[in-house]
Amino acid sequence: MAELKDKLRADLSAAMKERDTVVTGVLRMALAAVGKEEVAGKQARELTDEEVQRVLSKEAKKRDEAAEAFRSAGREKQAEAEVGEAEILRRYLPKPLGDDELAQLVKDAVGEVEAELGERPGMKQMGQVMKAANAKVAGRAEGGKVAALVKAELVG
C-alpha cells in the first residue's frame, strides 16, 4: 500500500479534527483523484507512491492553471485560493530540481543514449533521450522544461 496515500488520509483526519476546512477540502479532493485513478482502466489497482505523486502533481498544476485564469479575469481572491490549494498539494511532492541539477541530469541522459548508440544522438533520437531523462527526473521537473533542455543539448 502506498505510504503517501496513508499520509494523506492521516493528515485529512488531523485537519478534520482541527476544523481546518481548506486543508480538509484539498485533501478530500486529492484522495478522490487518487481513488479515481485507481479504478481507471480495465482493472482496479493500488497506486504506488510514485503514481500518487503524479496524480498530486496533476492536481497542483490544475490549481495553478485555474489561478492564472482567475487572475486574467480580475478575480484575485479566487486566484489566491487556488494558489493556496496548490501549495497544500505541493507539501506531498518531492522538492523540484534546480536548473543546474536538471541540466546535469539531461547531460547524463544524453551520455547514456550515446553509450547505447555508439555515437552522439541527434534530434531523431530525442525520444530515447527523453525517456532516459524522464526516468532520472522522476516527476521533479515539468515535462516541457525537460524537453526544452534535451532539445538544446541535442542541437547544441
Side-chain angles (χ1 to χ4, degrees), residues 71-86:
R71 276 201 185 93
S72 65
R75 299 173 69 186
E76 195 59 38
K77 189 173 183 180
Q78 288 91 342
E80 289 305 315
E82 294 292 333
V83 168
E85 289 182 11

Side-chain angles (χ1 to χ4, degrees), residues 14 19 42 58 60 66 77 93 118 138:
R19 299 191 189 282
K42 294 183 180 189
K58 277 186 210 173
K77 189 173 183 180
L93 297 174

Side-chain angles (χ1 to χ4, degrees), residues 92-154:
Y92 300 95
L93 297 174
K95 182 178 162 265
L97 291 171
D99 291 340
D100 294 339
E101 292 172 298
L102 186 56
Q104 186 57 49
L105 288 178
V106 167
K107 286 179 183 174
D108 293 346
V110 170
E112 281 181 20
V113 173
E114 186 174 346
E116 285 177 26
L117 297 174
E119 63 183 16
R120 177 124 174 106
M123 287 304 292
K124 286 185 178 181
Q125 290 81 24
M126 184 170 174
Q128 288 176 282
V129 176
M130 281 297 296
K131 185 176 179 182
N134 282 330
K136 291 177 177 303
V137 170
R140 295 181 293 159
E142 206 171 287
K145 194 172 183 179
V146 175
L149 283 172
V150 167
K151 193 172 188 177
E153 186 71 26
L154 293 178

Side-chain angles (χ1 to χ4, degrees), residues 16-31:
M16 290 168 69
K17 288 177 186 172
E18 294 171 8
R19 299 191 189 282
D20 187 341
T21 56
V22 174
V23 174
T24 299
V26 171
L27 293 181
R28 278 186 174 152
M29 172 278 313
L31 285 167

Side-chain angles (χ1 to χ4, degrees), residues 2-77:
E3 290 177 26
L4 184 55
K5 188 175 170 186
D6 289 340
K7 180 162 176 41
L8 288 169
R9 285 189 181 131
D11 289 354
L12 173 61
S13 293
M16 290 168 69
K17 288 177 186 172
E18 294 171 8
R19 299 191 189 282
D20 187 341
T21 56
V22 174
V23 174
T24 299
V26 171
L27 293 181
R28 278 186 174 152
M29 172 278 313
L31 285 167
V34 169
K36 184 177 176 183
E37 187 68 25
E38 286 178 333
V39 296
K42 294 183 180 189
Q43 188 173 353
R45 61 194 170 84
E46 188 77 25
L47 296 182
T48 64
D49 278 343
E50 192 175 289
E51 291 169 321
V52 172
Q53 284 177 350
R54 260 188 254 131
V55 170
L56 294 178
S57 182
K58 277 186 210 173
E59 292 298 321
K61 189 172 182 180
K62 285 180 191 177
R63 299 300 172 283
D64 291 337
E65 291 168 357
E68 191 59 40
F70 281 131
R71 276 201 185 93
S72 65
R75 299 173 69 186
E76 195 59 38
K77 189 173 183 180

